[in-house]
Amino acid sequence: MASTTLTAPSKPATSQRPLRLTWQLKTMLPVAAALFNGLILFVIATVSLAGPERHTVLLMAAVGAIIVCAVMVVTLALVVRRPMLELEDRIQRVSDGDLYATVSFGERKDDIGDLGRNFNTMVQQLRESRLEIERLHATQMSRAEHLATMGELAAGLAHEIRNPLAGIAGVMDIIGRDVPATSPAQEVLKDVREEVLRINRIVTDLLETARPKPPQIQLADLNTTAEHALMFAREQAKSKPIHFDFTRESELPPVEHDPAQIHQVLLNLVLNAIQAIDGPGAVAVTVSQRGPLAAIEVKDTGPGIPPETLNSIFRPFFTTKGHGTGLGLSLAKRIVEDHHGKLEVTSVPGEGCTFTVILPIAKSDGNSRAGEVVK
């Protein structure tokens, strides 16, 4: 039977490792060159000596040169090569995940010792950073599990509350039709209706936070979405001496967004601005284009947000209002981020506050728009 010999395919010449000189050669070549030149000069200097004496002197010089080279090689091997091999091994162990690997020559009082001490310090810092990251990760996972459980409870509780609220609202309407218009009870019924609506809004925000709905993206006029939100908020602030101003971007093309959700975000921001103004003031809504992005600014002339609380306003359940739930801005931020956008805030205490909703105008590809805004 004929046998077949399999040979490994030869690698192209370009993939071969370049020639490398070992540290011994790099160290000894200049030394050997210097010794060789010294021997030549020594030979020239001993020309006047007799034959046997000259040979003896040259032999002793050659032996001395060899001994010098050998001593240098041994010394370098002990002083330099051994620490470098140890350092190479420890680096490999660290790259494999062992952050307890340290070198033993860190106590030396020379440059090699400095290198060892710096390496040990670096590994210690990496180890401490990893332990801190693991601790934070465990904390975040515990918090995420806690929030997930609370979300499920909140969603179930919200459903249970909304059903009786609907019944209470219906009963209030029936009683309102039976009570004479001049009766003082009409004012009480009005207050009850407002409280029922407020509870319903709180429960709705809680439910949307616990079980968010994905945005229904469509091409729509962002100017119209912003203007409708401002008009709706203006109706709720007729009794306040607040001036409203709206500036549209006439050159803005249709923007891919969920009009209902962005309307909800802008309405929340404008209502917050109205509530922040105590007495006369102004709220300005401005739509603009920033290259491939669209921006909606909501600016008020209120007291502004204190610097110590500015970083906490988007945290769920954080509120500075006595009657607020702390879910409005958290929900608004999540909605904007679901649109692959960004919600920014700037505030100067005593001069007002500006919230800016930034959205990509259109998708860059068919898969994702992430990364276009938040960088």
Side-chain angles (χ1 to χ4, degrees):
M1 181 180 294
S3 62
T4 303
T5 303
L6 297 179
T7 59
S10 59
K11 295 183 180 179
T14 56
S15 65
Q16 295 179 353
R17 294 181 60 185
L19 294 176
R20 298 174 58 186
L21 293 176
T22 63
W23 68 272
Q24 292 94 337
L25 287 177
K26 289 182 179 180
T27 304
M28 295 309 302
L29 280 177
V31 176
L35 291 175
F36 181 74
N37 292 330
L39 286 174
I40 293 176
L41 293 176
F42 199 78
V43 169
I44 296 174
T46 57
V47 171
S48 60
L49 296 177
E53 294 179 354
R54 185 166 179 264
H55 292 162
T56 302
V57 172
L58 291 177
L59 179 60
M60 293 178 63
V63 172
I66 294 173
I67 292 174
V68 170
C69 291
V71 171
M72 289 188 64
V73 170
V74 173
T75 302
L76 289 174
L78 295 176
V79 176
V80 179
R81 180 60 174 170
R82 181 180 295 177
M84 292 301 102
L85 289 175
E86 182 181 356
L87 180 62
E88 183 180 357
D89 176 71
R90 299 304 186 270
I91 291 175
Q92 182 61 43
R93 286 172 56 181
V94 170
S95 66
D96 292 337
D98 181 9
L99 297 185
Y100 290 90
T102 57
V103 294
S104 61
F105 55 86
E107 301 299 326
R108 288 174 46 171
K109 306 300 182 181
D110 54 12
D111 293 341
I112 301 295
D114 292 339
L115 178 63
R117 285 188 292 274
N118 292 335
F119 176 80
N120 291 342
T121 301
M122 179 194 70
V123 173
Q124 180 181 1
Q125 292 174 349
L126 288 174
R127 182 170 63 250
E128 293 173 353
S129 298
R130 186 173 70 176
L131 292 175
E132 181 66 14
I133 290 172
E134 291 175 351
R135 185 188 66 80
L136 291 176
H137 177 70
T139 302
Q140 291 296 326
M141 289 298 296
S142 176
R143 184 181 179 188
E145 293 176 0
H146 176 71
L147 289 177
T149 303
M150 293 300 296
E152 292 296 324
L153 291 175
L157 183 62
H159 279 296
E160 294 299 325
I161 293 176
R162 292 183 75 177
N163 291 333
L165 275 181
I168 293 173
V171 171
M172 290 299 102
D173 289 337
I174 294 173
I175 295 176
R177 289 196 297 266
D178 294 338
V179 175
T182 57
S183 174
Q186 285 289 354
E187 290 297 326
V188 177
L189 291 175
K190 180 181 178 181
D191 293 340
V192 172
R193 291 193 193 96
E194 291 179 354
E195 291 301 317
V196 168
L197 291 176
R198 188 172 75 87
I199 295 173
N200 187 66
R201 285 195 299 270
I202 293 173
V203 171
T204 300
D205 288 346
L206 185 61
L207 187 60
E208 290 180 353
T209 302
R211 293 182 179 177
K213 296 180 181 179
Q216 304 297 317
I217 302 297
Q218 57 181 285
L219 275 175
D221 187 359
L222 195 61
N223 289 296
T224 302
T225 302
E227 189 172 15
H228 284 174
L230 181 61
M231 290 175 58
F232 195 89
R234 183 185 296 167
E235 290 297 320
Q236 302 187 38
K238 285 184 175 180
S239 61
K240 291 191 174 185
I242 297 177
H243 173 73
F244 295 90
D245 183 64
F246 176 73
T247 303
R248 65 172 46 243
E249 175 58 74
S250 58
E251 301 297 328
L252 183 67
V255 177
E256 291 185 336
H257 67 287
D258 185 332
Q261 289 193 357
I262 298 301
H263 177 278
Q264 178 184 354
V265 170
L266 297 175
L267 178 61
N268 183 279
L269 296 178
V270 176
L271 290 177
N272 284 349
I274 293 172
Q275 295 172 5
I277 298 174
D278 186 12
V283 176
V285 178
T286 304
V287 182
S288 61
Q289 182 173 356
R290 304 177 181 179
L293 309 174
I296 311 171
E297 289 187 354
V298 179
K299 185 176 182 179
D300 64 67
T301 57
I305 302 174
E308 60 270 16
T309 62
L310 192 61
N311 294 329
S312 303
I313 60 175
F314 295 114
R315 198 174 66 211
F317 304 108
F318 177 85
T319 179
T320 57
K321 306 174 186 176
H323 59 280
T325 62
L327 293 174
L329 288 178
S330 173
L331 183 60
K333 185 174 186 293
R334 183 191 58 75
I335 290 175
V336 174
E337 290 178 348
D338 284 347
H339 283 72
H340 303 286
K342 187 177 181 181
L343 180 57
E344 297 178 342
V345 58
T346 57
S347 178
V348 179
E351 297 183 11
C353 184
T354 302
F355 283 87
T356 305
V357 178
I358 303 176
L359 300 173
I361 294 177
K363 294 181 180 179
S364 60
D365 53 53
N367 297 324
S368 173
R369 294 171 295 174
E372 292 187 17
V373 178
V374 182
K375 286 290 187 185

